[in-house]
Amino acid sequence: MRAVIMARMKETDTTYTLIGGADGLRALVDRFYDLMALEPEFAGIHAMHPRPNDGSRDKLFMFLSGWMGGPDLFVQAFGHPRLRARHLPFAIGTNERDQWLRAMAWAMQDLGIDEPLRLRLMESFFQTADWMRNTPG
C-alpha cells in the first residue's frame, strides 16, 4: 500500500507529509532514541546525550519537523539551529557519524518507511552528519 502511495506522490509533497506528519516523525525520533538506548553498537553516541533524553528527543523532533518541510518548531523555540556550533562540544568522528546514521536507518526500517523515501532521507542525513564531524577518524 505505501509503495503505491510513494509511486503516486506529487512533487509538492513534503518529506514531512510523506513520513506521516507529526505522528510519523515522532515515531521515527522515538524509535531512533530507543535503539540508541537498547543497542550496544550505539553506546558511543548514546553516551553523548543527557539522561533522561526527553529534551534531546524533543529537539530532534522539532528540528526534523522544519528540516522535512513541516512546521519550523525548532527555529520558533530556539532560533537558528546552528547545528555544527551546537555539536562542537562533542567529539564527532566517522565512528559517531556512522552510529547515528545506522541508528536512523534502522529506525526507518523498523517503521516500514518505503525504500525510496529511506534512501532519499539517508542521502540527506549523510550529508548533514558528515558535515558535523569535528575530529579525525
Side-chain angles (χ1 to χ4, degrees):
M1 176 76 165
R2 273 185 94 121
V4 172
I5 292 169
M6 287 298 295
R8 293 182 185 163
M9 75 181 188
K10 298 175 275 195
E11 288 193 26
T12 57
D13 288 339
T14 64
T15 304
Y16 181 80
T17 301
L18 296 171
I19 205 91
D23 291 340
L25 180 56
R26 176 55 71 183
L28 176 63
V29 169
D30 285 344
R31 184 63 185 146
F32 171 78
Y33 275 96
D34 291 348
L35 287 166
M36 274 203 304
L38 295 170
E39 298 298 329
E41 72 181 276
F42 307 131
I45 58 171
H46 187 242
M48 294 179 179
H49 292 81
R51 307 294 188 289
N53 60 24
D54 296 343
S56 298
R57 287 176 189 248
D58 288 343
K59 286 179 181 175
L60 182 60
F61 170 80
M62 290 188 287
F63 171 75
L64 289 178
S65 176
W67 187 79
M68 290 183 175
D72 213 356
L73 304 173
F74 190 94
V75 171
Q76 292 168 10
F78 303 106
H80 190 282
R82 302 181 355 248
L83 284 183
R84 189 153 167 83
R86 290 181 195 271
H87 288 82
L88 278 176
F90 308 99
I92 301 172
T94 303
N95 187 43
E96 291 77 19
R97 176 201 66 195
D98 292 349
Q99 284 181 48
W100 195 97
L101 291 168
R102 173 71 180 120
M104 187 56 76
W106 190 340
M108 287 192 291
Q109 187 171 1
D110 282 357
L111 293 178
I113 295 171
D114 286 317
E115 186 176 2
L117 181 55
R118 279 196 332 256
L119 293 174
R120 188 168 100 195
L121 281 168
M122 286 307 295
E123 269 185 42
S124 295
F125 284 145
F126 177 83
Q127 291 172 4
T128 302
D130 194 54
W131 181 62
M132 303 306 286
R133 289 185 305 126
N134 56 29
T135 61

